């Protein structure tokens, strides 16, 4: 039975890949307090075990899925990457570049001192910095070294060994250093600093929403009695009588007839008005002052919650306080701000700035959300249709540009097809945020290209290197794990001190900046958990966009440095 199974996998290697993916995603889903192996490492381990059977896989398959992955990465971070290097994210972008240099220098120094070969050095770097994508660019670079086929294979087989040994602490250690050790070293009370940041910027934590019986925003009906202060005032004037709160008169029943209210509608005695706003304001402020009535017909207002992709350059960089004053903001409430490929949730504060490429979740009457969406950008309504023609053309263009070779003297320089696909993704992702009329890729498709693209590449690497994995692990052993601790910890400690004393980031966002530059989402999760706030995410998106790009490219750079 076993012989039949092994021979079947050798004859049909695609089955081995799918088994690796199944095991990797299953075991990678188990976590403890937000930490776990993750799908990438679990897939690699599963593939290495299966690879002991001696399975051969066609090389183009690995390259195809890796190009798809790199394009998806670039497409997702493109808007934040361009913003980081072009506008108000410059301090965080520069900080990310410095941290990325630390992340390159520490593994390079460790590899040189320990005497590791190029393959082990790349694996040490990729695992300690948890940037598995770098192994793809490094593979291209090693293949261009014009070494003997046996030597090339030996170096490539060494990569996943070093990666697997160092990745676990790369993930767990990063979270511990940034969320636990870092605040203690710098004398920062993270929870208190985030609370202070929220107080300074007028922040409030939103509860409820979809999936709960309690809702943050509600629509309630009130009878306007003779002598009330709102009688004779326009809806806009009445709404302004509750300072620092957003209340809107949506509809009015007058003389038995229902009409939609505008900002200039005059309220009269005897009217029944439908008012939308925060539940606590309606209950605590209006409740004692007005006679609430149950008018089912009046309250039967068509409402919706819709995601809006911000593309309007007039909105770009504006604060929420500024946007709230626009006529198109009337009757609309903001539920969520998501930014970047990781959909990092940005706190809703009056001084929070909105960037192109952000996804805003707004709620309100259908006509109000439609008007707001038009002013902000385009409604990003759910769709399962991707612009595959755009995807194919964009990846092909990037790969063709990357395939070009430039010579400086006798030294050939090239982006490689992998680097070309990444840069293509950055460009077209930014272009999509500016001109959303083409190139739509639903978030589920981006996730598939990103996650499955990478893990198919990792599965092929693990299966191909399986026979040499055990021998390599015995040779490198525990010392490699210790060097991995060094390579993970040193850049993060340096980053924290540079961020605090050189860039003088607010303590509430400092550790988010560090986590973003190191592209460690697990660490951000633990930081937010310790802070009991999502404020650290404000420092994550720009630094993540820069870090994810540079740390991936460093795989190729490290090969050049080592050789």
């Amino acid at each position: 039975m076993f012989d039949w199974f092994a021979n079947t996998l050798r004859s049909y290697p695609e089955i081995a890949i799918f088994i690796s993916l199944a095991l990797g995603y299953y075991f990678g889903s188990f976590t403890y307090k937000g930490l776990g192996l993750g799908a990438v490492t679990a897939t690699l381990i599963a593939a290495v075990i299966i690879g002991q059977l001696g399975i051969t896989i066609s090389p183009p398959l690995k390259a195809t899925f890796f190009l798809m992955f790199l394009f998806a990465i670039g497409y997702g971070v493109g808007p934040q990457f361009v913003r980081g290097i072009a506008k108000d994210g410059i301090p965080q972008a520069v900080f990310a570049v410095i941290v990325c240099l630390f992340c390159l220098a520490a593994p390079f120094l460790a590899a040189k001192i320990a005497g590791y070969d190029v393959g082990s050095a790349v694996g040490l770097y990729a695992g300690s910095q948890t940037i598995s994508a770098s192994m793809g660019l490094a593979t291209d670079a090693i293949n261009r070294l014009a070494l003997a086929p046996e030597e090339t294979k030996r170096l490539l087989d060494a990569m996943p060994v070093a990666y697997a040994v160092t990745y676990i602490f790369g993930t767990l250690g990063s979270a511990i250093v940034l969320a636990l050790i870092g605040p203690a070293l710098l004398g920062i009370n993270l929870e208190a600093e985030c609370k202070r940041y929220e107080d300074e910027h007028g922040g409030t934590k939103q509860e409820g929403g979809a999936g709960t019986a309690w809702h943050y925003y509600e629509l309630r009906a009130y009878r306007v009695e003779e002598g009330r202060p709102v009688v004779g005032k326009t809806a806009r004037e009445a709404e302004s009588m509750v300072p620092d709160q957003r209340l809107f008169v949506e509809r009015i029943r007058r003389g038995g007839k229902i009409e939609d209210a505008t900002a200039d509608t005059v309220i009269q005695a005897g009217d029944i008005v439908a008012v939308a706003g925060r539940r606590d304001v309606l209950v605590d402020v209006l409740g004692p002052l007005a006679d609430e009535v149950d008018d089912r017909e009046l309250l039967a207002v068509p409402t919706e919650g819709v995601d809006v992709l911000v593309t309007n350059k007039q909105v770009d960089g504006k604060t929420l306080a500024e946007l709230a004053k626009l006529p198109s903001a009337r009757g609309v409430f903001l539920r969520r701000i998501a930014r970047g490929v990781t959909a990092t949730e940005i706190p809703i504060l009056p001084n929070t700035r909105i960037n192109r490429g952000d996804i805003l979740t707004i709620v309100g009457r259908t006509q109000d959300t439609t008007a707001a969406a038009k002013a902000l950008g385009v409604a990003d309504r759910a769709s399962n249709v991707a612009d595959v023609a755009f995807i194919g053309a964009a990846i092909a263009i990037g790969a063709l540009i990357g395939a070009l070779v430039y010579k400086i003297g006798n030294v050939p320089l090239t982006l490689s097809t992998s680097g070309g696909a990444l840069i293509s993704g950055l460009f077209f992702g930014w272009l999509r945020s500016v001109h959303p009329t083409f190139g739509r890729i639903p978030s589920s498709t981006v996730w598939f290209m990103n996650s499955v693209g990478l893990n198919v590449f990792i599965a092929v690497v693990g299966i191909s290197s399986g026979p040499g994995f055990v021998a390599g692990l015995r040779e490198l052993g525990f010392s490699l794990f210790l060097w991995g601790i060094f390579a993970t910890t040193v850049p993060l400690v340096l980053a924290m001190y540079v961020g605090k004393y050189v860039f003088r980031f607010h303590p509430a966002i400092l550790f988010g900046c560090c986590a973003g530059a190191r592209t460690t989402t697990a660490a951000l999760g633990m930081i937010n958990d310790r802070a009991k706030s999502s404020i650290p995410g404000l420092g994550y998106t720009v630094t993540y966009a820069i870090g994810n790009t540079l740390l991936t490219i460093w795989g190729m750079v490290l090969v050049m440095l080592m050789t």
Side-chain angles (χ1 to χ4, degrees), residues 397-405 414-421:
I397 290 171
L400 286 171
I401 294 174
L404 297 174
V405 179
T414 178
L415 288 172
S416 79
T417 56
S418 302

Side-chain angles (χ1 to χ4, degrees), residues 420-458:
L422 176 62
I423 292 175
S424 174
L426 289 170
F427 173 75
F428 284 108
W430 166 79
L431 193 62
R432 158 75 182 171
S433 73
V434 178
H435 301 288
T437 56
F438 71 99
R440 174 177 173 79
I441 308 179
S443 57
S444 58
T445 305
V446 174
W447 176 89
F448 180 87
M449 294 172 65
N450 190 332
S451 181
V452 178
L454 174 60
N455 280 295
V456 168
F457 167 80
I458 290 295

Side-chain angles (χ1 to χ4, degrees), residues 324-380:
K325 299 175 182 177
L326 299 178
S328 57
R330 187 178 185 277
V332 174
F333 299 96
L334 180 62
R335 280 291 306 173
R336 183 173 184 263
I337 306 172
R339 183 172 295 165
V341 67
T342 56
T344 303
E345 187 165 342
I346 303 301
I348 298 176
L349 308 172
N351 289 334
T352 296
R353 295 187 180 276
I354 300 301
N355 300 334
R356 272 184 177 180
D358 286 352
I359 300 291
L360 308 186
T361 302
I362 59 176
V363 295
R365 293 185 302 175
T366 303
Q367 62 263 44
D368 293 331
T369 57
T370 300
K374 185 176 180 181
L376 293 169
V378 294
D380 194 33

Side-chain angles (χ1 to χ4, degrees), residues 111 222 312 370 406 443 472 482 496 535 559:
Y222 300 90
N312 189 345
T370 300
Y406 306 91
S443 57
L482 295 178
M496 291 185 295
I535 293 295
V559 173

Side-chain angles (χ1 to χ4, degrees), residues 66 122-123 126 131-140 159-160 163 457-458:
F66 191 63
V122 170
I131 188 75
S132 48
S134 63
M135 292 194 293
L137 291 179
T139 298
D140 290 343
M159 269 197 291
Y163 173 84
F457 167 80
I458 290 295

Side-chain angles (χ1 to χ4, degrees), residues 270-290:
D271 288 346
I272 298 177
V273 295
V275 182
R278 275 174 38 188
R279 184 178 187 276
D280 60 332
V281 177
L282 295 177
V283 172
D284 299 335
V285 178
L286 292 190
L289 302 176

